[in-house]
Amino acid sequence: MEGSVVVGVVVALAVPFLGNTLGAALVFPMRHGMSERFTKALLGFAAGVMIAASVWSLIMPALAAAEDSGLPAWLPATVGFLGGMFLLLAIDHFTPHLHVGSDEPEGPASTLKKPAMMMAALAIHNLPEGMAVGVVLAGFLAGDPTIALAAVVALSIGIAIQNVPEGAIVSLPLVANGLSRPRAFAAGTLCGAVEPVGALLMLAITGLVTPLLPYVLAFAAGAMMYVVTEELIPQTQQGRHTNIGTIGVAFGFVLMMILDVALG
């Protein structure tokens, strides 16, 4: 069991971060950036992975974990999901940030430069993904029968795969906005460090109060779905080639579903 614990912790904390780092490193070989079609396909793919992960890796285990609580199974999932959505809404509202492809900053007025606000947007985006991996890991470590080591591995791999295009999509515009390639890579890597921090936060919360597991699983799902509906899907549906983004969603969803079902 100790070996499984070590594997679970290492995979959950390191694999998604490495995916983001690999994506940020694409600023070096991709000298001319990415085409609009390719960007939309990658954004759609990331959205599909996150939607599937929210359902198979988080909501369904939350419902299963709530069955023995004496409450209706849907109640903890509902409370947690809405809590995650509204927390991310609050963070989004009170943090100055700039989404990729947009010239209009969001949040309160700020004197921050564009690269700093783009990094803030990436950090907001990465936090729910780290939370999702952390709470699934917490469920495994707590011995929840609905969450196996394979579920931790599947979710970590899925998040890492979609972190590769995300890291590139954010780091490349940083170069276009005045950062050198090494600094853009460092910035993208630093933003990816938010994920292990989010994972450790969820691990601490769930470890302190194990009965909160169904709520926290759904909470992470709500936070991820906020990012999908607020940021990823809208970016795929702006301008031309919107069908490319939709196809990306389909492939991302199917890949994450296969990972979760086959490995879980």
Side-chain angles (χ1 to χ4, degrees), residues 60-187:
M60 291 179 68
L63 292 171
E67 289 181 352
D68 297 329
S69 66
L71 296 171
W74 53 264
L75 183 58
T78 300
V79 171
F81 186 87
L82 292 178
M85 289 283 287
F86 284 113
L87 175 65
L88 263 290
L89 177 63
I91 293 174
D92 200 50
H93 181 73
F94 291 109
T95 305
H97 60 282
L98 178 68
H99 293 297
V100 176
S102 174
D103 294 323
E104 293 294 328
E106 296 184 10
S110 171
T111 58
L112 292 174
K113 295 183 178 179
K114 279 188 175 182
M117 287 194 287
M118 291 178 70
M119 289 174 61
L122 178 61
I124 293 172
H125 185 143
N126 284 348
L127 181 61
E129 297 167 9
M131 291 164 57
V133 175
V135 70
V136 172
L137 173 63
F140 165 68
L141 295 180
D144 189 284
T146 65
I147 301 176
L149 175 61
V152 178
V153 174
L155 180 58
S156 299
I157 292 174
I159 295 296
I161 290 171
Q162 63 101 30
N163 275 350
V164 174
E166 281 183 5
I169 287 168
V170 173
S171 297
L172 286 167
L174 289 176
V175 174
N177 279 277
L179 287 186
S180 66
R181 293 184 187 276
R183 291 183 65 188
F185 166 71

Side-chain angles (χ1 to χ4, degrees), residues 4-13 58 130-144 147-149 151-152 155-156 199-200 202-203 206 213 217:
S4 298
V5 169
V6 172
V7 170
V9 172
V10 171
V11 168
L13 297 182
L58 299 169
M131 291 164 57
V133 175
V135 70
V136 172
L137 173 63
F140 165 68
L141 295 180
D144 189 284
I147 301 176
L149 175 61
V152 178
L155 180 58
S156 299
L200 290 171
M202 290 295 99
L203 195 59
T206 312
L213 180 62
L217 282 164

Side-chain angles (χ1 to χ4, degrees), residues 216-233:
V216 184
L217 282 164
F219 180 91
M224 286 217 298
M225 288 302 295
Y226 179 86
V227 172
V228 170
T229 56
E230 168 68 14
E231 182 178 346
L232 297 181
I233 296 296

Side-chain angles (χ1 to χ4, degrees), residues 234-249:
Q235 288 181 35
T236 67
Q237 299 304 305
Q238 293 175 356
R240 303 175 301 164
H241 313 306
T242 57
N243 58 333
I244 301 295
T246 303
I247 294 170
V249 171

